[in-house]
Structures are given as structure tokens and as C-alpha cells.
Amino acid sequence: MTAPTHPLPTEPTPGPPQPTPASVPAPHAAGSTPAAGPALHPAGSTSESVPAPASRKGSQPARGAASPSPVPGPAVQQRPAVDPARWPDVAAPPRASRLRTALAERIVRRALARLPLRARLAGAEDIGLGGPLMEIREPEAFFRRIGASGLIGFGESYMAGEWEAPDLVAVLTVLAGNAADLVPAPLQRLRPLWALRKPAAQLNTPEGSRENISRHYDLSNDLFALFLDGTLSYSSAVFRSLPATQDLLPAAQHRKIDLLLDAAGVGDGTRLLEIGTGWGELALRAAARGARVVSVTLSAEQRELARTRIREAGYEDRVEVRLCDYRQVTGAYDAVVSVEMIEAVGEEFWPVYFTALDRLLAPGGRVALQAITMPDERLRASRSTYTWIHKYIFPGGLLPSTEAIERVTTGHTRLRTVRRSGYGAHYAETLRLWRERFTERSAEVDALGFDAVFRRMWTFYLAYSEAGFRSGYLDVQQLLLTRDQSPAQEAL
């Protein structure tokens, strides 16, 4: 998932996911990814340092860290112990002027007062029209963080335990559903003056993409295995009916894969290129159909496990997994499939990405993509904004809109979208199942060396991404593209 790179429900606009959260969060999926979100961002940040991810595979757990149950859970939880070396921007609220903090408080109070939720400040004052509870335990720190860094501060305040919610998804869904109106129109028009800009280091050049992908997908294969199902699919499933249960997730992931392979016409003898390997499930399923698969990824950890799974399944002669950027691929393929990888490409490189697909597709071939999408007006408003998801979950990510895909393919390639289907409600269910499993296995997350702040961060990412899909702010689409064979195109 690159779930939920996307804009998530409470941040200037991946991002699942994400995985985001989504970041994400993502949530995202088969091999490379990112996330973004709505706008409530009155001022610039005083700090842009990116914390080291809570820990890498093999690291030791943070000593003395509290281990609160991730949300959803009891409304009253202990504030997590925060390691300032690991989480420098979470350990203490940033410096912010009184004016900036006061302006943030005024904007946030005004927004909350008009929303169908209950924001309880310091256990005493309630704001809002009634609905899911958002308990702001430390209002001064909460408003100061938002004043200093907008929705990055909003997420960091949750990571620090300064606010809580018995039903985190419900609160974030309300915020996501009202994202366009949270900030007054005059401040929205002034966005370029106060919104944080993406760091140049997160640009998705070949070198930058490798670093961005590694920061999420190379965290630990064992971590992802704790909350994903046995297919190790990190992208939206497609269920027969909703709501769903954990036991239905593997079949729903196979249904998603089969829809894409069917759309691309993958069968016996098909030369298939997969961009974004994930942990190999799509390649395995294509090989079982008799296809010859080349799959590319930038994640060394994913490649290692995918190759092991392919070898154990007996498909080494049909599947090659390369540690390779999509820009470096050569050859001609009857079908190209990519699952939630476009979110990690970056807007600057969308023309390069689709031009590569066009170049690599053999005559008569098909491209099947699964992509997390956001509304075009939100994309235009927030395309360059630096968000919590970028900082903590999916560096360099940006969710496209379906209109943006049309603009790029029409303007730079012979590819045209001939069919698309939306599965946003299915992603919300997928994320719910991941989040619940992550919560249930919190002790095992700790045993891998990830501390309480990491667990709160990851819970927020998954919930944030889920809320984006539940509110309709985000969608996930399967798109079929073929080459335009009109006389005008043939003459090119």
C-alpha cells in the first residue's frame, strides 16, 4: 500500500495501507508506495527533522516505554514514554509564538464547534455538536503543536498521548468528511504562505525513490506479517460482500489479484511485467496461470522474502524478481500490472512513469493498475504540501486523481483508460481488519523492538487511512489502459 502515500483525513493533502496511514497510509501495497490529507494547517513548522523509524528489524525494544493498548480501546490510557533521541519532535511540543498558537486554537475551536463530534478539553469543556469523543488531555500542547506545524502537529500530538479517542476511526472520519471546510476560505487561499513544502530530499529520483521505499517497506518483514493475512498482500482486497471478517481476507486478496490479471489478459505464455513486487503474491498467482513474470521492486527486504516464496512454490523458472527502478526496465511485455505503486511515483515523475508503461507494452498489450485516488480539487490545492504521512509513513508520496491520470496519459502517451472500477468501501474494511489484527498482536510488535510511540503512530496511520475511505475522501480504483490505435496516434 502506498495507504493509505496519500492524503489522509485530517491533513492538507497518501496513504493504507501506508501502510499511510497513509502516509498512507498509505495504505499501499504491492511493492512500492506512499499518502497525503485535508487541510487544517494555519502556520509553518519550526522543525522538519524526521525521526528515525521506531526501530529496524533486530533492534532492541525501548526500555521503560509504556505499552498502552492501541486505539480502539479504553478512553483512559497512560501517556507513552517517549525516547527523545528516537522521536525528537514527539518528545516535547515545538516552540511556537503566542500569536501563532492563539490563531491555531481559534481556528481549531471554530472548526470543532461545527462538527458532529465531542471534543473534550482537559476533561472539563466540551466543544462540538455531539458524536464520537475526542479527548484533548493537554490542550496547551495540542494547540501549540498545531500552531507550529499544522496537521503534522496534530498527528504528533496523538503519538505523544496528548489526545485520545475511544473510537479513533470515528473521530477521524468526521474530520475527513469535513476536510474541505475545516480551514476558513481566506486561509485556504493563503495556503502557499503557510503550508510546509515537501523536502527536496524526498523527491522521487531513482536514488530518492530507493530511500523513500526503504523507509517504509524495509522496516521488517516480520512486522508486516503480524497484521497482514497469509497472502502478505498490502493493498485493498475485494470482498464478495461487506462487512467482512478476518477469515475472508485471503480469498478477497486473491479476488483483487484475479480481477487485475483478468483485465490484463494474463494467461498461459503471457509476458507479464509487474511494477512493485510486494511479497510476491501476484507474481505467484500469475505464474500459476502459466505466465512468464518479471517483477521489479526497490525493497531489498521484500525481494528477499518474495524470492523465497517463489522458490518454495516451485515457480523459479517462471518468475524473476529484480531489485530495479521502473525507469531501468527494458523489453516488451504483453501485460503490465502495478498495484498501488503509482502513489509512490511523485507528481513530477508521473509523465515518466506512464511513458515507461507505454514504451514497455507490446502491440495489443494491456496495462492494469490499482491506484488510491483523491478528488482532483484537493490534489490541486495540496499537491506540494508536506504532511504527517510524508514525515512518518510514506516519504515522497502523492495520491493522484483519476483526472490527473487522464491528463498525463493523454498528454504524454498513447495509453487511454478504457475501464475503471472503484472499491473504496473494500479498502476501509481491509484497513479495519489490519488495524484490529495489529492491535491484537501489540505484544508481538513490542517483541520485534518497536516501542509504544511506534505503535501509536502505526495505529494512527491505519485509522487515518481507514477514515479517508469511510468518509469517501479517498477511493481505490482498478484501471485498464490500452494503447490508442487511432490513425492520428499511429502516425506519431
Side-chain angles (χ1 to χ4, degrees):
M1 173 181 137
T2 119
T5 159
H6 57 240
L8 293 172
T10 44
E11 188 162 21
T13 285
Q18 51 302 358
T20 150
S23 193
V24 104
H28 296 244
S32 306
T33 162
L40 196 167
H41 208 319
S45 172
T46 59
S47 172
E48 296 208 10
S49 62
V50 178
S55 79
R56 296 280 181 176
K57 186 175 180 181
S59 300
Q60 294 300 311
R63 297 184 180 180
S67 298
S69 300
V71 176
V76 178
Q77 297 181 354
Q78 278 189 317
R79 178 172 174 167
V82 181
D83 180 350
R86 181 174 288 176
W87 306 101
D89 294 344
V90 177
R95 290 177 295 175
S97 69
R98 291 183 180 179
L99 176 62
R100 182 172 287 183
T101 300
L103 177 59
E105 180 173 356
R106 181 175 179 179
I107 291 172
V108 172
R109 282 178 172 272
R110 176 182 179 275
L112 294 176
R114 297 180 289 109
L115 295 178
L117 51 70
R118 284 183 303 143
R120 179 163 296 162
L121 277 67
E125 177 188 4
D126 280 11
I127 304 174
L129 303 177
L133 175 64
M134 177 183 181
E135 186 178 4
I136 304 172
R137 296 169 174 172
E138 301 182 39
E140 181 180 352
F142 175 77
F143 292 124
R144 196 197 316 171
R145 287 188 190 272
I146 293 177
S149 53
L151 285 169
I152 292 178
F154 179 79
E156 289 176 341
S157 185
Y158 181 81
M159 292 165 66
E162 294 161 0
W163 69 271
E164 191 59 82
D167 188 341
L168 181 59
V169 173
V171 168
L172 295 176
T173 299
V174 170
L175 294 172
N178 294 272
D181 302 317
L182 290 177
V183 175
L187 282 180
Q188 290 278 15
R189 289 192 291 271
L190 294 174
R191 175 188 289 270
L193 299 180
W194 51 256
L196 297 178
R197 311 289 289 185
K198 294 177 186 176
Q202 290 192 6
L203 190 66
N204 285 295
T205 61
E207 298 76 18
S209 291
R210 200 170 298 115
E211 173 61 23
N212 289 339
I213 293 303
S214 177
R215 277 188 51 197
H216 188 84
Y217 290 100
D218 289 344
L219 276 172
S220 162
N221 286 336
D222 294 335
L223 172 69
F224 288 99
L226 287 179
F227 68 90
L228 300 179
D229 66 276
T231 70
L232 292 180
S233 297
Y234 190 34
S235 52
S236 178
V238 176
F239 299 92
R240 287 194 182 278
S241 61
L242 301 174
T245 53
Q246 290 283 355
D247 60 303
L248 299 176
L249 191 51
Q253 291 291 4
H254 283 160
R255 187 174 299 111
K256 173 270 303 296
I257 291 171
D258 289 344
L259 285 170
L260 289 163
L261 295 179
D262 289 347
V266 175
D268 191 23
T270 300
R271 297 169 297 171
L272 170 64
L273 171 65
E274 180 189 21
I275 300 178
T277 306
W279 287 276
E281 191 69 17
L282 189 146
L284 285 169
R285 208 144 175 92
R289 294 185 175 207
R292 300 284 176 176
V293 184
V294 172
S295 185
V296 299
T297 180
L298 292 177
S299 168
E301 292 248 352
Q302 285 190 324
R303 180 184 188 235
E304 178 184 353
L305 183 52
R307 293 176 76 182
T308 298
R309 297 180 74 215
I310 290 162
R311 182 175 62 254
E312 291 175 349
Y315 290 129
E316 271 188 304
D317 60 329
R318 296 187 188 177
V319 182
E320 178 186 359
V321 182
R322 301 175 184 171
L323 197 62
C324 173
D325 190 280
Y326 69 88
R327 287 162 280 211
Q328 300 169 325
V329 180
T330 59
Y333 299 87
D334 305 309
V336 180
V337 177
S338 188
V339 182
E340 293 176 32
M341 182 271 177
I342 188 176
E343 303 88 341
V345 168
E347 184 179 17
E348 302 89 343
F349 295 100
W350 287 344
V352 178
Y353 173 75
F354 282 106
T355 299
L357 299 185
D358 192 8
R359 168 177 57 83
L360 294 165
L361 197 63
R366 295 181 169 198
V367 177
L369 304 180
Q370 183 161 306
I372 300 171
T373 60
M374 64 187 301
D376 195 55
E377 64 273 15
R378 298 305 302 160
L379 168 64
R380 291 176 181 272
S382 58
R383 65 207 327 163
S384 60
T385 302
Y386 183 51
T387 69
W388 181 86
I389 287 289
H390 292 128
K391 183 172 181 177
Y392 288 98
I393 307 296
F394 291 117
L398 180 66
L399 302 184
S401 63
T402 54
E403 294 89 343
I405 291 174
E406 293 295 328
R407 288 193 294 268
V408 173
T409 53
T410 301
H412 296 272
T413 76
R414 298 166 293 173
L415 298 176
R416 299 293 180 268
T417 301
V418 296
R419 188 171 78 222
R420 60 185 176 92
S421 304
Y423 297 99
H426 295 256
Y427 217 152
E429 280 296 282
T430 304
L431 283 155
R432 177 181 65 81
L433 296 174
W434 290 345
R435 178 175 52 83
E436 289 175 353
R437 190 169 174 83
F438 182 84
T439 300
E440 292 165 2
R441 307 188 74 174
S442 60
E444 293 168 83
V445 175
D446 290 350
L448 290 174
F450 297 95
D451 65 10
V453 177
F454 177 89
R455 284 194 284 107
R456 287 186 68 84
M457 176 184 77
W458 207 259
T459 298
F460 187 78
Y461 151 58
L462 293 172
Y464 188 54
S465 302
E466 181 183 344
F469 291 102
R470 292 209 180 279
S471 68
Y473 183 87
L474 302 178
D475 197 3
V476 62
Q477 308 257 343
Q478 287 193 353
L479 300 93
L480 174 63
L481 296 89
T482 59
R483 191 174 282 135
D484 184 1
Q485 297 299 330
S486 66
Q489 289 295 332
E490 290 177 353
L492 292 178

